Amino acid sequence: MRDGQKMAVIGAVCAAVVGAAGFGAYALVGNSDEGVDGGTDETSVAAPEESEKPEKAVETGPPSAAEVQATAKEFLTAWQDGDTAGAAALTDDETAAAKALTSFQKDGRASQIRLTEGTPSGTKVPFKVTTRLTYEEQSSAWTYDSALTVVRDETDGKPLVQWQSTVLHPKLGDGETIVTDASGDPPVKAVDRNGTELTKDEYPELDAVLADLRKRYADKTDGKPGVETRVVGKDGKDGETLLKLSEGTPGTLKTTLDAELQKSAMKALKGKKKGSAVAIKPSTGEILAIANAPATGFNSALRGSLAPGSTWKVVSASMLLEKGLAKTNASHPCPKYFTHGGWKFQNLDKFEIKNGTFAQSFAASCNTAFISQAPELKDDDLTKQARDVFGLGLNWQVGAGTFDGRVPVQSDAQMAASLIGQGAVRMNPLTMASVAATVKDGTFKQPVIVAPSLDNRTLAKAPRTMSPATAQDLRSLMQLTATSGTAAEAMASVSGDKGAKTGSAEVDGQKKPNAWFIAYRGDLAAAAVIPDSGHGGKNAGPVVAQILNAG
C-alpha cells in the first residue's frame, strides 16, 4: 500500500472513534500497530482535565438498612477482636470512642469480650455484651444489654456509629468511665449504742441516715472493701455500682442511737400521714432516736426547715429573762392585742391574762406577752441569743447531714413575729430537741450521731452559757407548762422531773397549723412536729410523751 493510502485509513478510523462519544479514543489510537512517524501525539484525543470531571455527589439522608447492619457489624467485630482503634475509627468521635473502649479493658478489667448483635430498628442496633471482669484473685462473668445508632457523616456521607458513652454501657453519662477495683467503700455494719445492728430492713426510716454514715465513715472502720465494678464520674467521684465481684468484710460503725427507743419513736408516729421526731440525751448531746412518717422519703427530722411556732418561746424567754424584760413571778402584760411595726398581733381565741405573771403567760402560751417587749429589743438580739446560747445556726458537725436552724436578723413586725416562732425563724425536730436539752442541762451540747473521736471533727460550741439562774428559771417555766399549762394533758402520763412547751405554727396555704411539742424528762429530751394537724398539745404532745415514757 502506498503511504498516502495508509494515512487515509488511519484518518478514517480516528473520525469513527471520535464520533462514538470519544470513549476509549486514546487507547485505540495510541495502541495502533501501524507505524506512523510522530502520528500518535498528533492524532490522539486527550483525557479530560481533572477540573473538568464532575464532582461525586455526597450521600445524604438516613443510612439504609444494609448500611446500618454492615456498619454495626464492622464496629462490633473490631471491638470484640480488641481492635479499639479500628472500632473507634468507625464512629463519629474517634478520640472519645478510643479512650472509652481502651479504658473499658484497662480500668474496667474487661477481657474475653463477646458482642452479639440484635435486630436493628431503623438506625438503632441493640446488642448484648458478655465479658469477664478480673481483679487480682476475683473474677466474674458480666452480661448486659446496650445499643448503638448509625448516622451518616455530613462530610463524606459515610455511615458511622454515633459515639455516646451509653454505647459502652447504658448507665454511663458523658465523660464517665467504668472501673473495677477494691478502692470503693467497705460494707458497714451500723450498730446502736448497745451493739444492736441497725439494718434498713428492720429500720427503713434510718435507710438514708445509714447510707450517709457509710459514705462518711466506711473508711474509718475495720472493714475491707469488696471488689466491685462501678461508674466513676469525670470528677473522680464514685457513682453507681454495676456489679459486685466480692462483698468484702463489713466494718462495725457504732452510733449513738438506741434501737429500742428508735422503735418506740416510730411507734409513736404510727397512724400519722406526716410527722417527725428526735430524741436527745441532754448531758451529752447524743442523738438517741430519729423518726419520720412516712418512713422513707425526705428526712424532715434532721433536714426539715419549718417555723417552730410557740416552742420557740423558750429561746425568746431566755433572752427576756437575761435582759431583765421579764421575771418568772413578776407581773407581765398579756393583752388581747398588741401592735408593732404596723401589724396587729393577738392570742389564740383572743384571750388575755389580766394582772398575770410572766410564768402564767408562758404556760398559757400568750403571744402578746412576748410581742409587747419588741419595742425594747434590737433587731439582732434574738439572732444573737439563739446562736450564742443555744448554738442554733452554727455549723454543726453531727456526723450526718443536718439543717442546723436559721434565725435571720429582722426588723419591725417581722422581728416581733420571730419572738413567737413565726416570721423567718426555721427549725426542725433536731434543733428543737436540742433547745429542750440545752434548758435541761443548762449548757448547749452539739448533737452527734457518731463519736467525734471517730474522725477528730470539731463540734460547734456556743460562744457563751446562760447563767445558772436563767437556766433554772426556764426549767421552772417548762415544768409549770407541763403540769398546769398547755402541755399538761399530753404530759400527764410522764412522771418525774419534767418540762414541756407546745407550739402551733401557722403556714400559708394550710387549713391547720403545724403542731409542735418539745419536752424533757430526766436525761432525755425530745421534739416532734406533725404538719397540718392543729394544736401542738393535742397532736404532737402525745408523740413526745410516748417517747419520754419509753426512755
Side-chain angles (χ1 to χ4, degrees):
M1 182 180 292
R2 293 194 298 267
D3 288 344
Q5 292 175 320
K6 184 177 180 181
M7 287 299 294
V9 171
I10 292 174
V13 171
C14 288
V17 170
V18 171
F23 180 79
Y26 181 83
L28 285 173
V29 176
N31 288 329
S32 172
D33 291 333
E34 301 293 339
V36 180
D37 294 337
T40 351
D41 292 337
E42 294 177 6
T43 58
S44 318
V45 177
E49 292 292 332
E50 192 68 29
S51 61
E52 296 176 359
K53 291 182 180 179
E55 293 185 6
K56 185 178 180 181
V58 176
E59 290 284 348
T60 59
S64 67
E67 288 176 315
V68 169
Q69 191 167 21
T71 304
K73 183 177 182 61
E74 191 176 359
F75 170 78
L76 294 174
T77 299
W79 180 10
Q80 176 175 280
D81 291 345
D83 182 10
T84 54
L90 295 167
T91 72
D92 62 355
D93 192 341
E94 186 173 349
T95 301
K99 183 178 180 181
L101 294 173
T102 301
S103 175
F104 184 58
Q105 292 177 292
K106 181 181 177 182
D107 303 317
R109 313 281 177 157
S111 62
Q112 302 176 29
I113 300 172
R114 294 292 176 266
L115 305 169
T116 307
E117 182 181 347
T119 303
S121 175
T123 59
K124 187 174 183 179
V125 181
F127 61 92
K128 185 179 292 294
V129 180
T130 301
T131 185
R132 178 158 290 278
L133 306 176
T134 304
Y135 181 80
E136 295 182 350
E137 297 180 356
Q138 300 296 327
S139 182
S140 176
W142 190 28
T143 299
Y144 62 89
D145 293 320
S146 191
L148 60 84
T149 300
V150 178
V151 296
R152 192 178 296 285
D153 188 277
E154 294 180 358
T155 303
D156 59 14
K158 181 180 178 181
L160 297 170
V161 172
Q162 183 181 46
W163 181 255
Q164 297 174 317
S165 297
T166 52
V167 172
L168 189 61
H169 192 283
K171 290 189 176 180
L172 278 183
D174 182 39
E176 294 180 333
T177 57
I178 292 176
V179 175
T180 299
D181 62 16
S183 64
D185 292 332
V188 169
K189 176 185 176 182
V191 300
D192 82 337
R193 62 195 304 106
N194 300 310
T196 301
E197 185 173 4
L198 303 170
T199 66
K200 66 178 182 180
D201 292 331
E202 190 171 359
Y203 303 91
E205 71 278 5
L206 294 176
D207 186 20
V209 174
L210 295 177
D212 191 6
L213 291 175
R214 179 195 174 191
K215 188 178 295 185
R216 293 168 183 261
Y217 298 108
D219 61 347
K220 300 292 192 297
T221 69
D222 57 355
K224 294 182 179 179
V227 176
E228 60 183 30
T229 300
R230 64 190 185 283
V231 175
V232 175
K234 49 188 173 183
D235 58 359
K237 293 182 179 180
D238 289 346
E240 181 177 353
T241 296
L242 302 175
L243 182 73
K244 286 189 176 183
L245 282 70
S246 66
E247 291 294 334
T249 305
T252 299
L253 177 63
K254 187 175 182 179
T255 71
T256 62
L257 297 171
D258 184 302
E260 291 304 313
L261 191 61
Q262 179 66 34
K263 289 180 179 178
S264 296
M266 285 301 295
K267 188 176 180 180
L269 285 176
K270 188 175 181 180
K272 307 290 186 183
K273 290 183 179 180
K274 288 184 178 181
S276 53
V278 169
I280 290 177
K281 190 177 178 68
S283 61
T284 61
E286 294 172 310
I287 299 173
L288 303 176
I290 303 167
N292 283 293
T296 57
F298 181 66
N299 185 0
S300 60
L302 301 186
R303 296 176 179 266
S305 176
L306 302 167
S310 291
T311 57
W312 186 248
K313 289 173 182 173
V314 171
V315 176
S316 298
S318 72
M319 177 181 64
L320 298 182
L321 290 168
E322 285 190 341
K323 289 182 173 296
L325 297 175
K327 293 182 179 179
T328 56
N329 296 315
S331 177
H332 197 90
C334 175
K336 287 183 180 181
Y337 309 103
F338 191 89
T339 300
H340 183 75
W343 284 17
K344 186 177 182 181
F345 295 89
Q346 66 182 43
N347 299 316
L348 181 66
D349 297 329
K350 301 177 184 178
F351 77 84
E352 64 178 331
I353 301 175
K354 295 181 178 180
N355 303 316
T357 64
F358 181 64
Q360 290 174 319
S361 291
F362 185 93
S365 202
C366 176
N367 292 332
T368 57
F370 291 82
I371 301 296
S372 63
Q373 305 308 304
E376 308 301 321
L377 298 170
K378 295 179 181 177
D379 290 345
D380 62 351
D381 279 346
L382 184 61
T383 302
K384 288 181 177 179
Q385 185 74 11
R387 180 193 63 218
D388 294 352
V389 176
F390 291 87
L392 299 165
L394 298 178
N395 185 18
W396 292 7
Q397 299 297 316
V398 174
T402 59
F403 171 69
D404 308 325
R406 180 173 180 268
V407 190
V409 176
Q410 295 185 290
S411 60
D412 300 324
Q414 288 290 345
M415 184 270 278
S418 293
L419 295 173
I420 58 173
Q422 296 284 172
V425 176
R426 292 294 180 267
M427 296 290 144
N428 54 41
L430 172 66
T431 54
M432 292 312 298
S434 178
V435 167
T438 299
V439 172
K440 178 61 177 69
D441 186 73
T443 304
F444 168 70
K445 304 285 177 60
Q446 190 223 274
V448 295
I449 195 170
V450 292
S453 59
L454 186 64
D455 55 351
N456 296 317
R457 67 188 189 279
T458 301
L459 303 186
K461 292 184 178 180
R464 65 184 180 86
T465 300
M466 71 179 90
S467 68
T470 299
Q472 183 55 47
D473 283 345
L474 288 176
R475 286 191 287 269
S476 69
L477 291 173
M478 291 184 70
Q479 182 182 40
L480 180 64
T481 307
T483 54
S484 61
T486 56
E489 182 179 350
M491 293 290 286
S493 63
V494 181
S495 60
D497 177 21
K498 62 184 181 181
K501 184 69 188 77
T502 60
S504 302
E506 301 291 337
V507 179
D508 290 341
Q510 282 186 192
K511 291 183 178 180
K512 298 179 179 179
N514 291 340
W516 280 89
F517 199 94
I518 66 172
Y520 61 80
R521 184 186 74 161
D523 200 17
L524 179 62
V529 59
I530 310 298
D532 199 8
S533 64
H535 191 271
K538 292 184 178 296
N539 297 282
V543 173
V544 171
Q546 192 168 334
I547 294 172
L548 295 179
N549 284 327

